[in-house]
PDB file of all heavy atoms in Angstrom:
ATOM      1  N   GLN A   1     -76.707  78.392  61.517  1.00  0.00           N
ATOM      2  CA  GLN A   1     -76.343  79.800  61.483  1.00  0.00           C
ATOM      3  C   GLN A   1     -74.862  79.969  61.140  1.00  0.00           C
ATOM      4  O   GLN A   1     -74.475  80.861  60.367  1.00  0.00           O
ATOM      5  CB  GLN A   1     -76.644  80.450  62.832  1.00  0.00           C
ATOM      6  CG  GLN A   1     -78.125  80.682  63.108  1.00  0.00           C
ATOM      7  CD  GLN A   1     -78.388  81.105  64.526  1.00  0.00           C
ATOM      8  OE1 GLN A   1     -77.652  80.758  65.477  1.00  0.00           O
ATOM      9  NE2 GLN A   1     -79.474  81.878  64.709  1.00  0.00           N
ATOM     10  N   SER A   2     -74.018  79.122  61.717  1.00  0.00           N
ATOM     11  CA  SER A   2     -72.590  79.150  61.394  1.00  0.00           C
ATOM     12  C   SER A   2     -72.368  78.847  59.924  1.00  0.00           C
ATOM     13  O   SER A   2     -71.581  79.505  59.232  1.00  0.00           O
ATOM     14  CB  SER A   2     -71.854  78.149  62.286  1.00  0.00           C
ATOM     15  OG  SER A   2     -70.463  78.191  62.067  1.00  0.00           O
ATOM     16  N   PHE A   3     -73.071  77.835  59.439  1.00  0.00           N
ATOM     17  CA  PHE A   3     -73.010  77.445  58.019  1.00  0.00           C
ATOM     18  C   PHE A   3     -73.413  78.624  57.115  1.00  0.00           C
ATOM     19  O   PHE A   3     -72.743  78.926  56.122  1.00  0.00           O
ATOM     20  CB  PHE A   3     -73.936  76.260  57.828  1.00  0.00           C
ATOM     21  CG  PHE A   3     -73.955  75.628  56.469  1.00  0.00           C
ATOM     22  CD1 PHE A   3     -72.821  75.585  55.660  1.00  0.00           C
ATOM     23  CD2 PHE A   3     -75.113  75.031  55.988  1.00  0.00           C
ATOM     24  CE1 PHE A   3     -72.836  74.976  54.419  1.00  0.00           C
ATOM     25  CE2 PHE A   3     -75.151  74.415  54.735  1.00  0.00           C
ATOM     26  CZ  PHE A   3     -74.007  74.389  53.953  1.00  0.00           C
ATOM     27  N   ALA A   4     -74.478  79.306  57.475  1.00  0.00           N
ATOM     28  CA  ALA A   4     -74.938  80.442  56.703  1.00  0.00           C
ATOM     29  C   ALA A   4     -73.941  81.597  56.712  1.00  0.00           C
ATOM     30  O   ALA A   4     -73.772  82.307  55.709  1.00  0.00           O
ATOM     31  CB  ALA A   4     -76.295  80.911  57.204  1.00  0.00           C
ATOM     32  N   HIS A   5     -73.250  81.776  57.835  1.00  0.00           N
ATOM     33  CA  HIS A   5     -72.241  82.849  57.894  1.00  0.00           C
ATOM     34  C   HIS A   5     -71.104  82.560  56.943  1.00  0.00           C
ATOM     35  O   HIS A   5     -70.639  83.461  56.222  1.00  0.00           O
ATOM     36  CB  HIS A   5     -71.725  83.020  59.308  1.00  0.00           C
ATOM     37  CG  HIS A   5     -70.745  84.150  59.441  1.00  0.00           C
ATOM     38  ND1 HIS A   5     -71.123  85.469  59.471  1.00  0.00           N
ATOM     39  CD2 HIS A   5     -69.375  84.157  59.535  1.00  0.00           C
ATOM     40  CE1 HIS A   5     -70.045  86.243  59.560  1.00  0.00           C
ATOM     41  NE2 HIS A   5     -68.986  85.463  59.593  1.00  0.00           N
ATOM     42  N   TRP A   6     -70.649  81.320  56.905  1.00  0.00           N
ATOM     43  CA  TRP A   6     -69.590  80.976  55.964  1.00  0.00           C
ATOM     44  C   TRP A   6     -70.071  81.140  54.528  1.00  0.00           C
ATOM     45  O   TRP A   6     -69.312  81.565  53.651  1.00  0.00           O
ATOM     46  CB  TRP A   6     -69.092  79.547  56.212  1.00  0.00           C
ATOM     47  CG  TRP A   6     -68.146  79.440  57.371  1.00  0.00           C
ATOM     48  CD1 TRP A   6     -68.325  78.772  58.535  1.00  0.00           C
ATOM     49  CD2 TRP A   6     -66.876  80.070  57.461  1.00  0.00           C
ATOM     50  NE1 TRP A   6     -67.239  78.924  59.357  1.00  0.00           N
ATOM     51  CE2 TRP A   6     -66.314  79.728  58.726  1.00  0.00           C
ATOM     52  CE3 TRP A   6     -66.103  80.885  56.612  1.00  0.00           C
ATOM     53  CZ2 TRP A   6     -65.079  80.171  59.141  1.00  0.00           C
ATOM     54  CZ3 TRP A   6     -64.869  81.335  57.026  1.00  0.00           C
ATOM     55  CH2 TRP A   6     -64.363  80.976  58.283  1.00  0.00           C
ATOM     56  N   ARG A   7     -71.310  80.827  54.262  1.00  0.00           N
ATOM     57  CA  ARG A   7     -71.900  81.082  52.948  1.00  0.00           C
ATOM     58  C   ARG A   7     -71.783  82.571  52.588  1.00  0.00           C
ATOM     59  O   ARG A   7     -71.355  82.928  51.477  1.00  0.00           O
ATOM     60  CB  ARG A   7     -73.355  80.651  52.914  1.00  0.00           C
ATOM     61  CG  ARG A   7     -74.114  81.005  51.647  1.00  0.00           C
ATOM     62  CD  ARG A   7     -75.602  80.987  51.882  1.00  0.00           C
ATOM     63  NE  ARG A   7     -76.000  82.036  52.843  1.00  0.00           N
ATOM     64  CZ  ARG A   7     -77.162  82.040  53.498  1.00  0.00           C
ATOM     65  NH1 ARG A   7     -78.041  81.067  53.324  1.00  0.00           N
ATOM     66  NH2 ARG A   7     -77.438  83.032  54.349  1.00  0.00           N
ATOM     67  N   ASP A   8     -72.140  83.412  53.529  1.00  0.00           N
ATOM     68  CA  ASP A   8     -72.171  84.842  53.251  1.00  0.00           C
ATOM     69  C   ASP A   8     -70.788  85.453  53.067  1.00  0.00           C
ATOM     70  O   ASP A   8     -70.542  86.221  52.139  1.00  0.00           O
ATOM     71  CB  ASP A   8     -72.924  85.569  54.364  1.00  0.00           C
ATOM     72  CG  ASP A   8     -74.402  85.192  54.422  1.00  0.00           C
ATOM     73  OD1 ASP A   8     -74.919  84.621  53.429  1.00  0.00           O
ATOM     74  OD2 ASP A   8     -75.032  85.427  55.487  1.00  0.00           O
ATOM     75  N   VAL A   9     -69.859  85.136  53.977  1.00  0.00           N
ATOM     76  CA  VAL A   9     -68.518  85.753  53.882  1.00  0.00           C
ATOM     77  C   VAL A   9     -67.744  85.212  52.700  1.00  0.00           C
ATOM     78  O   VAL A   9     -66.795  85.847  52.243  1.00  0.00           O
ATOM     79  CB  VAL A   9     -67.703  85.569  55.179  1.00  0.00           C
ATOM     80  CG1 VAL A   9     -68.364  86.268  56.349  1.00  0.00           C
ATOM     81  CG2 VAL A   9     -67.437  84.102  55.485  1.00  0.00           C
ATOM     82  N   ASN A  10     -68.130  84.064  52.179  1.00  0.00           N
ATOM     83  CA  ASN A  10     -67.467  83.499  50.982  1.00  0.00           C
ATOM     84  C   ASN A  10     -68.185  83.880  49.683  1.00  0.00           C
ATOM     85  O   ASN A  10     -67.813  83.411  48.614  1.00  0.00           O
ATOM     86  CB  ASN A  10     -67.381  81.983  51.100  1.00  0.00           C
ATOM     87  CG  ASN A  10     -66.269  81.562  52.053  1.00  0.00           C
ATOM     88  OD1 ASN A  10     -65.171  82.087  51.999  1.00  0.00           O
ATOM     89  ND2 ASN A  10     -66.554  80.619  52.924  1.00  0.00           N
ATOM     90  N   GLY A  11     -69.213  84.707  49.781  1.00  0.00           N
ATOM     91  CA  GLY A  11     -69.867  85.196  48.591  1.00  0.00           C
ATOM     92  C   GLY A  11     -70.555  84.115  47.768  1.00  0.00           C
ATOM     93  O   GLY A  11     -70.618  84.198  46.528  1.00  0.00           O
ATOM     94  N   CYS A  12     -71.088  83.094  48.440  1.00  0.00           N
ATOM     95  CA  CYS A  12     -71.783  82.024  47.725  1.00  0.00           C
ATOM     96  C   CYS A  12     -73.064  82.587  47.102  1.00  0.00           C
ATOM     97  O   CYS A  12     -73.789  83.344  47.720  1.00  0.00           O
ATOM     98  CB  CYS A  12     -72.094  80.864  48.666  1.00  0.00           C
ATOM     99  SG  CYS A  12     -70.637  80.182  49.489  1.00  0.00           S
ATOM    100  N   VAL A  13     -73.342  82.168  45.888  1.00  0.00           N
ATOM    101  CA  VAL A  13     -74.406  82.773  45.100  1.00  0.00           C
ATOM    102  C   VAL A  13     -75.785  82.346  45.578  1.00  0.00           C
ATOM    103  O   VAL A  13     -76.700  83.145  45.676  1.00  0.00           O
ATOM    104  CB  VAL A  13     -74.220  82.434  43.609  1.00  0.00           C
ATOM    105  CG1 VAL A  13     -75.420  82.919  42.792  1.00  0.00           C
ATOM    106  CG2 VAL A  13     -72.925  83.049  43.079  1.00  0.00           C
ATOM    107  N   SER A  14     -75.946  81.072  45.883  1.00  0.00           N
ATOM    108  CA  SER A  14     -77.280  80.520  46.176  1.00  0.00           C
ATOM    109  C   SER A  14     -77.703  80.844  47.599  1.00  0.00           C
ATOM    110  O   SER A  14     -76.885  80.905  48.527  1.00  0.00           O
ATOM    111  CB  SER A  14     -77.285  79.014  45.965  1.00  0.00           C
ATOM    112  OG  SER A  14     -76.849  78.688  44.676  1.00  0.00           O
ATOM    113  N   ALA A  15     -79.009  81.016  47.778  1.00  0.00           N
ATOM    114  CA  ALA A  15     -79.556  81.198  49.114  1.00  0.00           C
ATOM    115  C   ALA A  15     -79.641  79.866  49.872  1.00  0.00           C
ATOM    116  O   ALA A  15     -79.540  79.837  51.096  1.00  0.00           O
ATOM    117  CB  ALA A  15     -80.938  81.845  49.040  1.00  0.00           C
ATOM    118  N   SER A  16     -79.809  78.778  49.148  1.00  0.00           N
ATOM    119  CA  SER A  16     -79.893  77.447  49.718  1.00  0.00           C
ATOM    120  C   SER A  16     -78.737  76.609  49.203  1.00  0.00           C
ATOM    121  O   SER A  16     -78.172  76.907  48.113  1.00  0.00           O
ATOM    122  CB  SER A  16     -81.220  76.769  49.374  1.00  0.00           C
ATOM    123  OG  SER A  16     -82.310  77.532  49.852  1.00  0.00           O
ATOM    124  N   PRO A  17     -78.311  75.558  49.929  1.00  0.00           N
ATOM    125  CA  PRO A  17     -77.200  74.736  49.448  1.00  0.00           C
ATOM    126  C   PRO A  17     -77.391  74.223  48.036  1.00  0.00           C
ATOM    127  O   PRO A  17     -78.518  73.886  47.626  1.00  0.00           O
ATOM    128  CB  PRO A  17     -77.185  73.579  50.472  1.00  0.00           C
ATOM    129  CG  PRO A  17     -77.765  74.182  51.721  1.00  0.00           C
ATOM    130  CD  PRO A  17     -78.825  75.121  51.240  1.00  0.00           C
ATOM    131  N   ASP A  18     -76.304  74.188  47.287  1.00  0.00           N
ATOM    132  CA  ASP A  18     -76.370  73.737  45.893  1.00  0.00           C
ATOM    133  C   ASP A  18     -76.504  72.219  45.780  1.00  0.00           C
ATOM    134  O   ASP A  18     -77.075  71.706  44.821  1.00  0.00           O
ATOM    135  CB  ASP A  18     -75.122  74.186  45.134  1.00  0.00           C
ATOM    136  CG  ASP A  18     -74.976  75.700  45.137  1.00  0.00           C
ATOM    137  OD1 ASP A  18     -75.896  76.390  44.650  1.00  0.00           O
ATOM    138  OD2 ASP A  18     -73.970  76.209  45.633  1.00  0.00           O
ATOM    139  N   THR A  19     -75.940  71.499  46.751  1.00  0.00           N
ATOM    140  CA  THR A  19     -76.020  70.052  46.735  1.00  0.00           C
ATOM    141  C   THR A  19     -76.324  69.542  48.152  1.00  0.00           C
ATOM    142  O   THR A  19     -75.886  70.140  49.140  1.00  0.00           O
ATOM    143  CB  THR A  19     -74.710  69.385  46.265  1.00  0.00           C
ATOM    144  OG1 THR A  19     -73.656  69.667  47.194  1.00  0.00           O
ATOM    145  CG2 THR A  19     -74.324  69.909  44.881  1.00  0.00           C
ATOM    146  N   THR A  20     -77.047  68.466  48.221  1.00  0.00           N
ATOM    147  CA  THR A  20     -77.315  67.786  49.488  1.00  0.00           C
ATOM    148  C   THR A  20     -77.209  66.292  49.244  1.00  0.00           C
ATOM    149  O   THR A  20     -77.855  65.770  48.327  1.00  0.00           O
ATOM    150  CB  THR A  20     -78.697  68.113  50.055  1.00  0.00           C
ATOM    151  OG1 THR A  20     -78.788  69.544  50.247  1.00  0.00           O
ATOM    152  CG2 THR A  20     -78.929  67.423  51.375  1.00  0.00           C
ATOM    153  N   THR A  21     -76.387  65.602  50.049  1.00  0.00           N
ATOM    154  CA  THR A  21     -76.204  64.155  49.887  1.00  0.00           C
ATOM    155  C   THR A  21     -76.420  63.483  51.221  1.00  0.00           C
ATOM    156  O   THR A  21     -76.394  64.127  52.294  1.00  0.00           O
ATOM    157  CB  THR A  21     -74.793  63.837  49.376  1.00  0.00           C
ATOM    158  OG1 THR A  21     -73.827  64.358  50.319  1.00  0.00           O
ATOM    159  CG2 THR A  21     -74.545  64.489  48.013  1.00  0.00           C
ATOM    160  N   GLN A  22     -76.601  62.168  51.180  1.00  0.00           N
ATOM    161  CA  GLN A  22     -76.728  61.356  52.380  1.00  0.00           C
ATOM    162  C   GLN A  22     -75.643  60.301  52.394  1.00  0.00           C
ATOM    163  O   GLN A  22     -75.801  59.232  51.767  1.00  0.00           O
ATOM    164  CB  GLN A  22     -78.106  60.709  52.446  1.00  0.00           C
ATOM    165  CG  GLN A  22     -79.202  61.632  52.953  1.00  0.00           C
ATOM    166  CD  GLN A  22     -80.453  60.901  53.362  1.00  0.00           C
ATOM    167  OE1 GLN A  22     -81.211  60.459  52.503  1.00  0.00           O
ATOM    168  NE2 GLN A  22     -80.632  60.741  54.663  1.00  0.00           N
ATOM    169  N   PRO A  23     -74.509  60.569  53.059  1.00  0.00           N
ATOM    170  CA  PRO A  23     -73.446  59.575  53.102  1.00  0.00           C
ATOM    171  C   PRO A  23     -73.790  58.348  53.915  1.00  0.00           C
ATOM    172  O   PRO A  23     -73.105  57.329  53.850  1.00  0.00           O
ATOM    173  CB  PRO A  23     -72.259  60.343  53.704  1.00  0.00           C
ATOM    174  CG  PRO A  23     -72.907  61.439  54.499  1.00  0.00           C
ATOM    175  CD  PRO A  23     -74.145  61.810  53.757  1.00  0.00           C
ATOM    176  N   GLY A  24     -74.839  58.435  54.724  1.00  0.00           N
ATOM    177  CA  GLY A  24     -75.321  57.319  55.528  1.00  0.00           C
ATOM    178  C   GLY A  24     -76.815  57.522  55.808  1.00  0.00           C
ATOM    179  O   GLY A  24     -77.358  58.610  55.597  1.00  0.00           O
ATOM    180  N   PRO A  25     -77.465  56.503  56.320  1.00  0.00           N
ATOM    181  CA  PRO A  25     -78.925  56.577  56.535  1.00  0.00           C
ATOM    182  C   PRO A  25     -79.359  57.737  57.420  1.00  0.00           C
ATOM    183  O   PRO A  25     -80.453  58.286  57.211  1.00  0.00           O
ATOM    184  CB  PRO A  25     -79.247  55.235  57.175  1.00  0.00           C
ATOM    185  CG  PRO A  25     -78.156  54.319  56.734  1.00  0.00           C
ATOM    186  CD  PRO A  25     -76.927  55.165  56.642  1.00  0.00           C
ATOM    187  N   THR A  26     -78.547  58.105  58.422  1.00  0.00           N
ATOM    188  CA  THR A  26     -78.961  59.164  59.352  1.00  0.00           C
ATOM    189  C   THR A  26     -78.142  60.445  59.192  1.00  0.00           C
ATOM    190  O   THR A  26     -78.216  61.339  60.022  1.00  0.00           O
ATOM    191  CB  THR A  26     -78.858  58.676  60.816  1.00  0.00           C
ATOM    192  OG1 THR A  26     -77.479  58.488  61.139  1.00  0.00           O
ATOM    193  CG2 THR A  26     -79.616  57.378  60.997  1.00  0.00           C
ATOM    194  N   SER A  27     -77.312  60.513  58.154  1.00  0.00           N
ATOM    195  CA  SER A  27     -76.396  61.625  57.994  1.00  0.00           C
ATOM    196  C   SER A  27     -76.716  62.418  56.714  1.00  0.00           C
ATOM    197  O   SER A  27     -77.115  61.820  55.701  1.00  0.00           O
ATOM    198  CB  SER A  27     -74.942  61.134  57.910  1.00  0.00           C
ATOM    199  OG  SER A  27     -74.623  60.366  59.044  1.00  0.00           O
TER     200      SER A  27
END
């Protein structure tokens, strides 16, 4: 929810994250 609020107040275009990565097996 906090992540989504920063998306909204920053005017991010996409409804879902533009990129998703895995810097480690569980992260």
Side-chain angles (χ1 to χ4, degrees):
Q1 288 171 330
S2 182
F3 184 32
H5 183 77
W6 281 116
R7 174 200 63 198
D8 294 343
V9 297
N10 283 315
C12 303
V13 173
S14 305
S16 301
D18 300 301
T19 65
T20 301
T21 60
Q22 280 194 283
T26 68
S27 304

